[in-house]
Amino acid sequence: MSDTTLWAELLAYGTGIGLSPIHIAVLLLLLLGPKPLQRGGWFVAGWVVTTMATSALLVTVGHSLVLDMTQGSHHRTGLDLLAGGALIAVGSRELLRSFTDGDTPPAWTASVDRFVNMPLPLLLVLGAVAEVASPDDLVLFAKSAGVVLAAQLPTWQELIGLLAFTIGASLLMLTPLIAVAIGREKVVPVLERGKEVLFARGELVLAGVSIGIGGYLGWQGISGLTLT
């Protein structure tokens, strides 16, 4: 695998994890509420730490199990097919919901206000649990670790790869936080509009990304079957 392909895959998987409607909605509400930089900053920091720690743990476990993640190996092909199928299923479910619910806000929006009003330590813990407990996120975490293992990189390059993956997964969280730090009053209308769009179309965006990445992984798995 070329370096370009490696970084492109890590960025794609990170983007899939970063498209978490609940986490983005909570962050937007934190940034629109009291002490936006303090509460929003800690929330984003928790997301970054959770992402980096989870991906590093999976790579470490992969090394200890001596998993072969080269194209066409049983481990790689199985993971590609499982991940592709799971993401397509998640995307299809979200797509169906976006059509059947119509203009009705997604069910998860009813819980967002309760999350925002929780004490910050509890909010950080629940945010981390929600990130790693999500089935589609776990699939993307596992796949990103598999890509790093398949590249057979030195340890320092693995760390750079995981850092790049973490940054990719955090861009959608970091962007509004940085915008508020630069000039909150100017971006408040944008944050309000972003919250409205997210509540109305978050499922549709998530569906498109899940189906797209799932289709790519499914194609990789099928290609791997032809090599075995």
Side-chain angles (χ1 to χ4, degrees):
M1 178 185 295
S2 67
D3 289 341
T4 302
T5 302
L6 172 64
W7 302 125
E9 287 201 37
L10 288 175
L11 178 60
Y13 303 145
T15 300
I17 290 175
L19 279 170
S20 171
I22 294 180
H23 285 83
I24 296 175
V26 169
L27 175 62
L28 292 180
L29 290 177
L30 289 174
L31 294 177
L32 290 168
K35 300 181 180 179
L37 289 179
Q38 178 183 343
R39 291 174 63 81
W42 277 109
F43 188 73
V44 172
W47 172 274
V48 171
V49 170
T50 300
T51 303
M52 186 67 180
T54 303
S55 56
L57 177 63
L58 289 175
V59 169
T60 302
V61 171
H63 278 304
S64 66
L65 295 177
V66 196
L67 296 180
D68 181 7
M69 285 296 174
T70 57
Q71 183 68 26
S73 67
H74 293 298
H75 293 126
R76 172 73 176 271
T77 299
L79 179 59
D80 285 341
L81 292 174
L82 177 63
L87 287 175
I88 290 175
V90 169
S92 300
R93 181 193 65 194
E94 298 299 326
L95 186 63
L96 181 62
R97 282 181 180 175
S98 69
F99 288 120
T100 56
D101 293 345
D103 294 332
T104 304
W108 53 264
T109 60
S111 304
V112 170
D113 286 333
R114 294 201 300 272
F115 286 140
V116 172
N117 294 322
M118 289 179 177
L120 186 58
L122 180 58
L123 178 61
L124 296 180
V125 171
L126 291 178
V129 171
E131 182 181 357
V132 299
S134 172
D136 47 326
D137 283 357
L138 281 177
V139 165
L140 290 172
F141 273 122
K143 183 57 186 174
S144 64
V147 168
V148 172
L149 290 171
Q152 298 181 338
L153 301 171
T155 301
W156 67 272
Q157 288 186 352
E158 285 187 348
L159 291 174
I160 293 176
L162 293 178
L163 180 60
F165 167 76
T166 301
I167 293 174
S170 305
L171 281 178
L172 291 175
M173 305 285 281
L174 289 168
T175 300
L177 178 65
I178 293 173
V180 168
I182 294 174
R184 183 173 185 265
E185 296 304 321
K186 294 181 179 179
V187 300
V188 163
V190 179
L191 297 180
E192 291 280 7
R193 179 56 182 161
K195 183 191 71 174
E196 294 174 3
V197 172
L198 184 64
F199 277 32
R201 301 297 179 190
E203 291 177 337
L204 189 59
V205 173
L206 182 59
V209 173
S210 296
I211 291 175
I213 297 178
Y216 172 70
L217 294 180
W219 171 77
Q220 280 197 323
I222 294 172
S223 298
L225 288 175
T226 65
L227 300 176
T228 57

